[in-house]
Amino acid sequence: MLIININLSATGTWKIDNSNKHYHGDLYLNKDEGGIVLYIRIPNNSSIMSYLELPLTIPFIAGSTPNGAKFTLIDCKRISTQSRIGSEEVFGYEAKFMIEGVSFNKEEKIKFTKMRISIPGIIQWGDASNYVIPDIDNRETLIGLKIIEPIEIYSCRDYTLSYDLTFNSPFEMMREEIILKQIPYLIIEAQSGQPIEWFMKIANQMKRLIEIAVGIPLGFDSMVVESPEINYEFENGNDKKHIRPLEVVHAFKQNMSKVNNTKNKLKHDFLFNLNELKQGDFPKWQEVSTIMEPIIELYIDSLYNKDLSVSRHFLNMIQALETYHSRRIAYSLDDFKKRVEQLLEVRPEPFHEQDKKFLLEGCRGFVTLRCRLADLLLAEYSFIFHTGDFKLTDFPQIVAKTRNYYTHYNQNLEHKALKGEELITAFHILRNILEYYLLKEFGFDEEFIHNRIRERISPIMTSNEIKKADRRKRYK
């Protein structure tokens, strides 16, 4: 999406892709919001040029200004074309990335071995700090500094992924206000040179994982890349090379209006934190993250989009569960029937008939929502979900009828549909079920999953009991 609030930052010559032809153009930037727009101007005193005079998409555009500043724009897409008859043709491009300080001449050279990218709002999830409270006996120091080393999240033959915190040390003490600040970063170190899009795929996978853990949508802020081929140049005759970090302006800037305040979070407020993530299976998540993407989007949106109605939150969670069951457990009715037979193998014979009816009743040519919810609720007989005042065996049908009422507005179902506090409670139960399966996808063991799911539903149970007690008191 084109950022409107941008300002002219540079005028110079630009080379498109691997061609040797140069064009004049103006670069407009909004670094705070990630707006990168280049207008290439081609003089033209004759007929209007072809719309395809320049490509619609360009892998990279390299440029320089008369004063020597250099830029490289990456992943550029045409956003406008304007013909000024008898004057010039103007082709507008929006870029996803812009590297300052270097002008690449070939696409295959735009590779790096390290990226450092910040994600605001995840300090508590990282569960680490450079600032510490000193021992109680040390009365002369209020805040101490204990610099943490980068915390490794994952490592394989291709790259290492770590979590790190920068910190500031204020040197000007004669001020009324002194600010201490920490910034959380992901560090991705590749074994060989990789394009910037390669790093972003890993960073986005990790960001998505943290979003699930903390329950808020996140974004990226500052980004720096490094390559052993790009060094500082010194004129003192010292042959020692020092890698020169390159700042990257990008179109994935953090929207601070979407970030909730994470102060005073309790342990169960996070689905898991960085330290607990070590108990999971990160490679497993990488394998399924693409399949899980629409489910995660519904989960995040349904939990933290305050503009949605209660019924919309409820419907989002239903759709997420239905999609999860279809994608990860059983897509077709034949698949589901085979699964039911496998489930019954672990059950005593006297329960087979009632279990089969609970799981398959109503399936005619496809797997119904009620049956998918029944299967998820049983959790392969390894966990019992809290369903409040709803009878466990009735809950899938109640939810299915409520969904049908809100989506199709069948007035015949109105008296059977959940509303008000019952609808809110049902939403929390459904969220609890989905989080159970999310933790399974992350590879956590059963003990951790069971304890965390109980912890997260406990405040809802307590709140409901308080409300019921209050109603009983008022109606006495």
Side-chain angles (χ1 to χ4, degrees):
M1 180 179 179
L2 176 62
I3 306 284
I4 301 299
N5 186 23
I6 55 179
N7 299 303
L8 178 64
S9 295
T11 296
T13 57
W14 305 86
K15 189 180 75 169
I16 291 178
D17 209 352
N18 293 316
S19 70
N20 291 318
K21 191 171 182 180
H22 290 77
Y23 301 89
H24 289 282
D26 301 325
L27 175 66
Y28 290 79
L29 295 178
N30 183 331
K31 292 186 178 182
D32 293 335
E33 297 185 36
I36 312 165
V37 177
L38 174 67
Y39 291 101
I40 293 176
R41 304 180 182 280
I42 305 177
N44 182 25
N45 295 319
S46 58
S47 59
I48 296 174
M49 288 183 177
S50 168
Y51 182 78
L52 299 177
E53 177 72 20
L54 297 180
L56 297 179
T57 59
I58 304 174
F60 81 100
I61 302 174
S64 60
T65 64
N67 64 3
K70 297 179 179 180
F71 307 91
T72 299
L73 278 58
I74 301 172
D75 197 354
C76 307
K77 181 180 179 182
R78 180 90 66 83
I79 56 171
S80 66
T81 305
Q82 185 178 8
S83 296
R84 295 173 178 171
I85 299 174
S87 174
E88 62 181 2
E89 308 287 325
V90 182
F91 297 86
Y93 289 89
E94 185 176 28
K96 288 186 179 178
F97 307 94
M98 187 195 78
I99 301 174
E100 295 188 86
V102 63
S103 178
F104 291 94
N105 55 18
K106 291 184 179 180
E107 183 179 3
E108 55 267 27
K109 291 187 177 181
I110 311 177
K111 291 186 177 181
F112 311 95
T113 55
K114 184 176 181 180
M115 174 184 279
R116 187 180 184 90
I117 184 167
S118 67
I119 306 180
I122 63 170
I123 286 281
Q124 280 194 280
W125 176 81
D127 198 26
S129 175
N130 289 308
Y131 301 114
V132 295
I133 298 176
D135 296 333
I136 193 168
D137 295 332
N138 189 353
R139 298 181 180 180
E140 295 181 357
T141 305
L142 294 176
I143 297 176
L145 184 63
K146 184 179 180 181
I147 303 172
I148 67 165
E149 294 296 322
I151 300 169
E152 184 177 296
I153 297 172
Y154 174 70
S155 183
C156 64
R157 66 179 184 179
D158 296 323
Y159 69 93
T160 299
L161 173 65
S162 304
Y163 172 87
D164 193 21
L165 280 174
T166 63
F167 65 93
N168 72 326
S169 297
F171 294 102
E172 297 182 35
M173 298 302 175
M174 301 302 292
R175 301 172 67 95
E176 293 186 2
E177 182 180 37
I178 297 175
I179 298 174
L180 300 179
K181 186 174 183 179
Q182 301 180 99
I183 301 176
Y185 284 87
L186 294 181
I187 301 175
I188 306 167
E189 296 183 82
Q191 295 299 318
S192 60
Q194 300 292 343
I196 200 166
E197 293 85 356
W198 182 89
F199 286 93
M200 287 304 297
K201 181 179 179 181
I202 297 169
N204 274 310
Q205 274 189 329
M206 192 61 207
K207 179 177 74 72
R208 212 45 157 162
L209 183 149
I210 301 173
E211 285 177 327
I212 298 166
V214 302
I216 56 176
L218 300 168
F220 297 118
D221 198 7
S222 65
M223 181 190 301
V224 174
V225 294
E226 295 179 9
S227 168
E229 305 298 322
I230 303 172
N231 303 281
Y232 285 110
E233 296 179 3
F234 297 102
E235 297 180 355
N236 58 5
N238 189 344
D239 293 332
K240 186 176 181 180
K241 293 183 178 180
H242 297 271
I243 293 177
R244 176 159 63 102
L246 300 173
E247 182 182 350
V248 182
V249 180
H250 60 90
F252 305 92
K253 296 288 287 188
Q254 172 70 63
N255 185 343
M256 296 305 294
S257 65
K258 290 185 177 181
V259 178
N260 290 358
N261 191 343
T262 57
K263 283 186 178 181
N264 302 319
K265 290 281 188 179
L266 301 175
K267 183 178 179 180
H268 65 258
D269 289 326
F270 297 133
L271 201 54
F272 52 86
N273 62 28
L274 174 58
N275 187 54
E276 292 167 335
L277 180 59
K278 298 173 185 176
Q279 303 174 41
D281 187 344
F282 188 73
K284 180 182 178 183
W285 167 248
Q286 289 178 304
E287 292 175 6
V288 302
S289 61
T290 302
I291 298 173
M292 294 288 292
E293 183 60 26
I295 299 155
I296 301 310
E297 285 188 354
L298 287 164
Y299 173 77
I300 296 294
D301 188 49
S302 187
L303 281 176
Y304 300 98
N305 189 335
K306 295 180 180 180
D307 295 331
L308 296 181
S309 64
V310 175
S311 61
R312 188 65 253 177
H313 284 294
F314 171 84
L315 292 173
N316 275 6
M317 201 57 64
I318 285 291
Q319 187 178 348
L321 284 165
E322 189 173 26
T323 304
Y324 176 79
H325 190 275
S326 176
R327 289 190 169 209
R328 298 294 294 152
I329 296 178
Y331 175 73
S332 67
L333 182 56
D334 286 341
D335 294 336
F336 188 51
K337 286 180 177 179
K338 291 175 184 177
R339 173 175 170 77
V340 171
E341 292 302 322
Q342 292 172 351
L343 289 173
L344 295 180
E345 290 177 3
V346 302
R347 292 284 281 169
E349 183 71 32
F351 294 102
H352 282 200
E353 192 62 34
Q354 69 179 39
D355 285 3
K356 194 169 185 178
K357 181 179 180 182
F358 179 64
L359 288 165
L360 287 171
E361 187 176 37
C363 288
R364 301 288 188 273
F366 64 94
V367 188
T368 64
L369 171 62
R370 190 208 70 81
C371 294
R372 293 191 188 278
L373 289 176
D375 187 13
L376 293 171
L377 195 59
L378 284 182
E380 298 181 340
Y381 303 103
S382 64
F383 184 74
I384 299 175
F385 289 100
H386 170 76
T387 56
D389 292 336
F390 302 110
K391 187 177 179 182
L392 188 144
T393 53
D394 294 337
F395 186 69
Q397 183 69 2
I398 293 170
V399 168
K401 287 184 176 179
T402 301
R403 196 280 295 270
N404 292 339
Y405 167 72
Y406 283 108
T407 55
H408 306 300
Y409 194 60
N410 185 342
Q411 290 185 328
N412 294 329
L413 295 176
E414 184 172 5
H415 68 287
K416 298 180 180 179
L418 300 174
K419 301 181 185 67
E421 289 187 7
E422 285 189 328
L423 187 64
I424 296 172
T425 299
F427 162 76
H428 286 300
I429 294 169
L430 294 169
R431 183 186 70 178
N432 203 233
I433 296 171
L434 180 59
E435 289 174 346
Y436 172 91
Y437 288 98
L438 289 176
L439 289 174
K440 287 193 69 174
E441 294 294 345
F442 287 129
F444 289 98
D445 62 35
E446 285 196 1
E447 182 180 2
F448 177 89
I449 295 173
H450 295 180
N451 289 339
R452 185 51 48 87
I453 292 303
R454 291 191 186 101
E455 287 174 356
R456 288 175 69 80
I457 199 66
S458 179
I460 307 303
M461 296 167 58
T462 302
S463 176
N464 288 342
E465 290 302 317
I466 292 173
K467 290 176 182 177
K468 285 192 289 185
D470 180 62
R471 285 196 294 269
R472 287 194 297 267
K473 182 178 180 181
R474 283 189 285 116
Y475 286 110
K476 277 186 177 180

